[in-house]
Each structure stands twice: as structure tokens, then as C-alpha cells.
């Protein structure tokens, strides 16, 4: 009989703590942490749960094809669903004390869900053309930067004035995709080309990476200010130094078949990513000091495609959603 993933994870966890070896617990090479994976089955089938965010111990995520925002209590395993306007098909959710902010990917808005009563406030994107709000992150005062993939723009929502500003990307079909905000400055990948982007002195700046066939998809920043990214096209982990302009990369274990997608950086400044070209999907760690990879670790559910990961420093864990209707966590132990 096939066990549900919650039971599999619990069984493996018990084995791990009594010292038995398991394919789902992995001591990585060099300075990387030990990784332990657990997944929960989402109760709504075929809804593409994705892009978790942790706030006050609660795990928030969206169902892109199911058109909802939801929570998981990782202690009890209980889920709660919030309905949002029909046709929104949310791509990302970020959460603070004001509520859950989601990107209304197919309905050209950013929405704010009030967890107390489930009400939704919408902030429409201005202008004509495609306005598919995509990936978002907060500034230190609670404003929001975001990408607009097919609209070829970066955006900014002033959450006090409720005004939205958009910057056009000069490169045609650049597909602004992954985004982070560090020190109140946005950094984005331009997935349709071999470039990154940022905003400096109110102007959008493109940064060309070394290889023409590089297609950066997700990114993060280490404590030294270096920008790390995954090249989905050719299967690399790369780094860009904003100070020197230097750009280097290292090929992932899956090589051309790797298709690295979801990624996160832990408090040790190591990069974790998922090879989505491999089935089952595989979790891989990259030691940014020794420039070496861990042995790949299969996602118990298979993953389908893991598109985004969120690192929660308070628990030293990485959260993810899968295309096979699970929400999962990678617990790291030094």
C-alpha cells in the first residue's frame, strides 16, 4: 500500500533520529548542512500549490490553478483556504501583519487578503497590455517590488498611497521573473535573456551575464552582497559580484538535464536548489566557499516541478510547493 507523504516523512524522520540511514536524509559534502525533507498532501487536487511564505509560524501558499490563498499549520497539519476573486490565478504570496499579499497573475492586480474575515482588497496594475504580476518581495517599510513577466516590466507598490509605478525593461521579451529585495534594492532575473536587472537612482539597469545561453530564473543574495542565481537553460549555479562586475558559474550535477528552478540561500551562505529536469525532482546543495555540490537528494513525492523556495531563518528550514499537490519543508541541521 502506498503511504501518503506525511506518513512517509514521519516514518523516515523516526528512522533518522535513531541513526538509520535513509535516502531522504543526507549529510552533504564539506560545510553544507544535513537536509531532512517532509511533505504534506494539500487537500485540493490539481491546484498547483506554490511559493510558500512563513509568518509567525504559519505557512502561507497559493494555489495557482485552484485560485486560492491558503495556510498550513505545520504542527497540526491543518490547512485553511481563502477564496480570492475569480480569474486571479495567484502566482506568489508574501505575508506581513497587514495580511497576505498575492500576485493576481492572470487578472492584472496585487491583492491583499485579510486573514481575520477573508476579505480581499485589490490593487490593479496601471496601463495597457499584458500585466501579469509575478514574483514579489517587501522593502523594509512594507512597500512591494514585483516582476511583470510578459508585460516586460518591474513594478513597485507604495502600500500607503496605494500607487503603482512600472519600469519597462529595454530588452524585448526579457521576461522579468525571480525577484528579491535586499537593503531596499530590488534584484530580478530576466529569464528571456542572459541578464539580471535592478533599480538604481530610480532607473532600471540591465546587467548582462557572461554566457549568451544563460537563462537565470531564481536568485538570492549572500551576506557578502553577491547575487547567486540558477541558470534553468543550461544547468548552472552562477554568481554576480555587483562591486567588481565579475560573473562565474558552476555546472549542476544534472548538467544539461538539470533545469534548476526553485532556489534559496541559507544562513551559512550556501545555495539550495531543485533540479526540475530530473524526475523525481532532486534537491542539491552548493557550498559557496568550496564551490562544490552535495549529492542530489530525491523529493519523496517526486515534486513534478518545484518552482520557488522560501528560507525561514528562525527554524533553519526551506519551504516549497509542488505540482503534485504537496507542500514541503527541508529542515537543515549544521
Amino acid at each position: 500500500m502506498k503511504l501518503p507523504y506525511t506518513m512517509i516523512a514521519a516514518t523516515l524522520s523516526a528512522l533518522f533520529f535513531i541513526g538509520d540511514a535513509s535516502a531522504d536524509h543526507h549529510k552533504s559534502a564539506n560545510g553544507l548542512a544535513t537536509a531532512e525533507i517532509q511533505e504534506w498532501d494539500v487537500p485540493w487536487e490539481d491546484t498547483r500549490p506554490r511559493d510558500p511564505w512563513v509568518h509567525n509560524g504559519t505557512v502561507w501558499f497559493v494555489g495557482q490553478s485552484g485560485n486560492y490563498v491558503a495556510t498550513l499549520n505545520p504542527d497540526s497539519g491543518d490547512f485553511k483556504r481563502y477564496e480570492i476573486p475569480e480569474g486571479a490565478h495567484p502566482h506568489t504570496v508574501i505575508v506581513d501583519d497587514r495580511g497576505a499579499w498575492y500576485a493576481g497573475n492572470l487578472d492584472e492586480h496585487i491583492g491583499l487578503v485579510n486573514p481575520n474575515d477573508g476579505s480581499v482588497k485589490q490593487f490593479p496594475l496601471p496601463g495597457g497590455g499584458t500585466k501579469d504580476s509575478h514574483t514579489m518581495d517587501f522593502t523594509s517599510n512594507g512597500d512591494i517590488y514585483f516582476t511583470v513577466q510578459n508585460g516586460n516590466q518591474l513594478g513597485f507598490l507604495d502600500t500607503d498611497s496605494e500607487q503603482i509605478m512600472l519600469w519597462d525593461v529595454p530588452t524585448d521579451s526579457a521576461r522579468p521573473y525571480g525577484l528579491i529585495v535586499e537593503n531596499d534594492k530590488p534584484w530580478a532575473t530576466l529569464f528571456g535573456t542572459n541578464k539580471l536587472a535592478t533599480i538604481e537612482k530610480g532607473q532600471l539597469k540591465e546587467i548582462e551575464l557572461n554566457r549568451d545561453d544563460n537563462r537565470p530564473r531564481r536568485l538570492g543574495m549572500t551576506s557578502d552582497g553577491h547575487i547567486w542565481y540558477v541558470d534553468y537553460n543550461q544547468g548552472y549555479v552562477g554568481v554576480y559580484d555587483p562591486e567588481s562586475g565579475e560573473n562565474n558559474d558552476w555546472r549542476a550535477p544534472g548538467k544539461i538535464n538539470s533545469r534548476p528552478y526553485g532556489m534559496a540561500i541559507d544562513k551559512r551562505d550556501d545555495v539550495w536548489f531543485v533540479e526540475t529536469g530530473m524526475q523525481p525532482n532532486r534537491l542539491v546543495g552548493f557550498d559557496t566557499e568550496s564551490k562544490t555540490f552535495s549529492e542530489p537528494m530525491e523529493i519523496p513525492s517526486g515534486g513534478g516541478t518545484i518552482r520557488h523556495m522560501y528560507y525561514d531563518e528562525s527554524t533553519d528550514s526551506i519551504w516549497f510547493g509542488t505540482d503534485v499537490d504537496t507542500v514541503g519543508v527541508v529542515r537543515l541541521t549544521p
Side-chain angles (χ1 to χ4, degrees):
M1 180 179 69
K2 182 179 178 182
L3 295 174
Y5 301 122
T6 48
M7 293 178 63
I8 291 174
T11 302
L12 292 173
S13 180
L15 290 172
F16 174 70
F17 286 114
I18 63 174
D20 196 5
S22 167
D24 292 314
H25 300 87
H26 180 73
K27 178 62 177 176
S28 300
N30 303 302
L32 290 167
T34 297
E36 173 194 352
I37 298 174
Q38 181 179 359
E39 295 179 87
W40 290 260
D41 289 303
V42 173
W44 310 291
E45 294 183 359
D46 301 322
T47 57
R48 191 183 285 182
R50 59 175 301 163
D51 293 34
W53 183 282
V54 180
H55 183 65
N56 294 335
T58 297
V59 181
W60 291 80
F61 63 97
V62 294
Q64 187 173 19
S65 59
N67 205 58
Y68 61 78
V69 174
T71 62
L72 162 67
N73 181 324
D75 294 326
S76 66
D78 292 337
F79 288 86
K80 182 176 180 178
R81 175 167 170 157
Y82 296 86
E83 300 300 333
I84 59 176
E86 185 177 353
H89 293 284
H91 187 279
T92 301
V93 65
I94 60 177
V95 186
D96 61 13
D97 290 342
R98 296 169 293 182
W101 304 80
Y102 68 86
N105 187 243
L106 292 187
D107 198 29
E108 303 184 353
H109 72 275
I110 292 171
L112 173 59
V113 177
N114 184 329
N116 297 320
D117 60 13
S119 62
V120 177
K121 183 173 184 177
Q122 293 179 261
F123 305 86
L125 272 62
T130 302
K131 301 292 179 187
D132 58 333
S133 48
H134 196 272
T135 299
M136 308 186 294
D137 200 3
F138 290 118
T139 66
S140 61
N141 64 357
D143 294 324
I144 297 171
Y145 279 103
F146 58 95
T147 52
V148 185
Q149 183 183 192
N150 292 314
N152 213 42
Q153 296 169 317
L154 265 59
F156 176 79
L157 169 61
D158 184 313
T159 55
D160 287 334
S161 69
E162 302 183 359
Q163 297 299 304
I164 290 178
M165 179 183 297
L166 297 171
W167 290 266
D168 293 326
V169 176
T171 299
D172 289 340
S173 303
R175 296 182 65 185
Y177 204 90
L179 178 138
I180 58 170
V181 176
E182 296 288 350
N183 303 315
D184 287 334
K185 183 176 182 177
W187 292 89
T189 60
L190 301 183
F191 182 46
T193 186
N194 64 325
K195 297 178 180 179
L196 306 177
T198 187
I199 303 294
E200 289 187 352
K201 298 179 179 178
Q203 301 296 315
L204 189 143
K205 176 184 176 182
E206 293 183 317
I207 300 159
E208 187 169 355
L209 302 171
N210 290 343
R211 288 183 293 103
D212 290 341
D213 56 5
N214 197 337
R215 294 296 179 268
R217 197 155 196 178
R218 295 290 185 187
L219 76 170
M221 179 183 284
T222 44
S223 60
D224 57 8
H226 292 178
I227 302 295
W228 291 84
Y229 61 87
V230 286
D231 167 18
Y232 181 84
N233 186 37
Q234 294 293 311
Y236 285 85
V237 172
V239 61
Y240 168 74
D241 180 352
E243 292 295 324
S244 68
E246 185 178 359
N247 173 215
N248 293 296
D249 53 26
W250 296 264
R251 201 153 212 190
K255 300 182 180 179
I256 190 65
N257 296 318
S258 175
R259 294 288 189 261
Y261 198 162
M263 69 158 282
I265 296 177
D266 68 21
K267 64 184 178 182
R268 290 161 290 273
D269 279 343
D270 291 325
V271 175
W272 296 85
F273 63 95
V274 176
E275 294 186 311
T276 62
M278 315 299 290
Q279 296 296 327
N281 286 185
R282 308 192 307 186
L283 176 73
V284 181
F286 181 74
D287 187 322
T288 58
E289 183 174 349
S290 66
K291 309 298 191 295
T292 54
F293 295 92
S294 70
E295 293 183 8
M297 181 180 182
E298 292 186 352
I299 303 300
S301 67
T305 298
I306 293 176
R307 302 166 185 271
H308 188 51
M309 300 200 294
Y310 173 86
Y311 177 66
D312 178 26
E313 185 173 356
S314 67
T315 57
D316 201 10
S317 57
I318 300 169
W319 289 87
F320 61 89
T322 76
D323 283 3
V324 293
D325 297 320
T326 70
V327 169
V329 63
V330 181
R331 296 189 178 92
L332 301 176
T333 305

